[in-house]
Amino acid sequence: MNSGTPLVNFRLPTAVSGPRGRSPMRFFALLLVLSVPFWVLGAVVESPEAMPMGMPLSAFMFVCPFTAAVVLVRREEGPAGPRRLLRRLFWFRGAGNGLWFALAVLVMPVLMLASYVFLRLAGMPLDGARSPFLALPVLLVVFLVSAAGEEAGWLGYALDPLQDRWGALRAAAATGTVWAAWHVGPWLQVHGVAWTAGWFLFTVFARVLIVWLYNRTRGAVLSGILFHAMINVSSSLFPDVGAWQVPAVLAVLTAVVAGCAVLLARRPRRVLHSRRPLRQDEARTINGRGR
């Protein structure tokens, strides 16, 4: 692709497309089956105090996307499929400028800070609220592990076939909607309807940003893991562990940033300082076929 070709729908280069034969619908169906016991557990068993942000026990369903993806790639690609999937979670060589990984880490804290400033200006009583900054190292580990478990399914398995079929923006909206709907049960176990509706919208827009970063890093699932983890880290550091959050405000701010990302992705590649095309060995590595 020459430097003047528009990056329409911020689609991945063809060489990075996922393996043929993958079925996002099978993934979503299996994910639903695996998640039901966690939803029931969260509904009938009270969350222990040690759970971050007062999350219900159903939060442990983060293992379900990983499990569903492993089961399906084992069936579709044989015994080597799960190993290739695991390698993809931490692949970053040839992923381009480190700027994109920096954005994956920084965008959510900046958005959360902006929402905090807005709420302060709106008169929200946040002066006496506290944040668990001393627990930051533990939160980072916990949320990186849970984000990796989820993104193994959302990015590592389901996204590429949808992008091949629909383009990146529609694929992001579809996976974002399923991702948000999958969380509705656990959210309602600890929050009200208004909070859940606002966070639902935020989640869809956040998925657009995750897909944008994924494509800008030539399919590095790690970029999505970092962004996803920082959603939870930033939220847990919000005053009183997120108790004062107004998700509708965060959703609007994220929608603005996601819209800017989509517009930037449609500009000529030379304006975005695009890197060289992937070599064949890099394409094989990102798809988990390298040595």
Side-chain angles (χ1 to χ4, degrees):
M1 187 178 294
N2 62 51
S3 61
T5 304
L7 186 61
V8 177
N9 279 339
F10 48 100
R11 179 187 284 275
L12 279 170
T14 303
V16 189
S17 296
R20 301 295 179 185
R22 289 191 175 181
S23 170
M25 293 307 299
R26 279 200 299 265
F27 171 77
F28 296 147
L30 181 56
L31 177 64
L32 174 63
V33 172
L34 293 172
S35 302
V36 169
F38 290 91
W39 293 337
V40 174
L41 181 67
V44 301
V45 179
E46 186 175 354
S47 175
E49 292 184 3
M51 289 289 286
M53 297 186 292
M55 290 179 174
L57 289 176
S58 51
F60 285 104
M61 69 184 186
F62 72 82
V63 302
C64 295
F66 174 80
T67 303
V70 167
V71 168
L72 292 174
V73 296
R74 174 65 175 81
R75 174 185 175 185
E76 295 159 358
E77 303 173 26
R83 291 196 298 271
R84 288 196 289 263
L85 178 65
L86 285 173
R87 281 201 298 268
R88 282 206 66 196
L89 300 185
F90 306 104
W91 173 89
F92 63 90
R93 290 184 60 189
N97 196 324
L99 167 67
W100 307 113
F101 289 100
L103 287 175
V105 173
L106 295 175
V107 166
M108 274 313 306
V110 170
L111 285 172
M112 200 67 69
L113 178 61
S115 70
Y116 172 81
V117 171
F118 178 88
L119 293 175
R120 284 294 302 268
L121 293 175
M124 192 74 83
L126 299 174
D127 291 330
R130 305 201 178 274
S131 300
F133 286 104
L134 293 179
L136 181 58
V138 175
L139 292 173
L140 280 171
V141 173
V142 169
F143 290 132
L144 280 171
V145 171
S146 62
E150 288 199 38
E151 296 306 328
W154 303 118
L155 290 183
Y157 183 89
L159 179 66
D160 287 345
L162 291 175
Q163 287 202 112
D164 290 341
R165 189 179 311 160
W166 295 340
L169 185 56
R170 283 189 289 176
T175 54
T177 300
V178 175
W179 185 34
W182 180 63
H183 281 91
V184 165
W187 290 337
L188 288 174
Q189 289 168 1
V190 291
H191 298 288
V193 173
W195 190 100
T196 298
W199 203 263
F200 188 106
L201 291 174
F202 158 73
T203 301
V204 176
F205 295 129
R207 180 55 54 177
V208 173
L209 286 173
I210 288 173
V211 171
W212 177 65
L213 287 165
Y214 172 82
N215 287 339
R216 293 308 305 167
T217 56
R218 298 183 172 91
V221 178
L222 181 61
S223 64
I225 292 173
L226 294 172
F227 189 100
H228 188 153
M230 292 310 298
I231 292 174
N232 291 324
V233 170
S234 302
S235 183
S236 65
L237 293 179
F238 203 84
D240 281 354
V241 199
W244 290 101
Q245 275 186 348
V246 179
V249 172
L250 187 60
V252 171
L253 293 171
T254 308
V256 171
V257 176
C260 292
V262 172
L263 291 176
L264 282 172
R266 293 175 180 271
R267 297 179 68 184
R269 293 176 71 95
R270 62 174 177 270
V271 178
L272 292 175
H273 308 290
S274 178
R275 299 304 183 269
R276 57 171 173 76
L278 285 173
R279 300 192 309 266
Q280 288 301 314
D281 61 325
E282 292 173 337
R284 286 194 300 271
T285 301
I286 192 175
N287 285 324
R289 297 188 179 90
R291 291 188 177 183

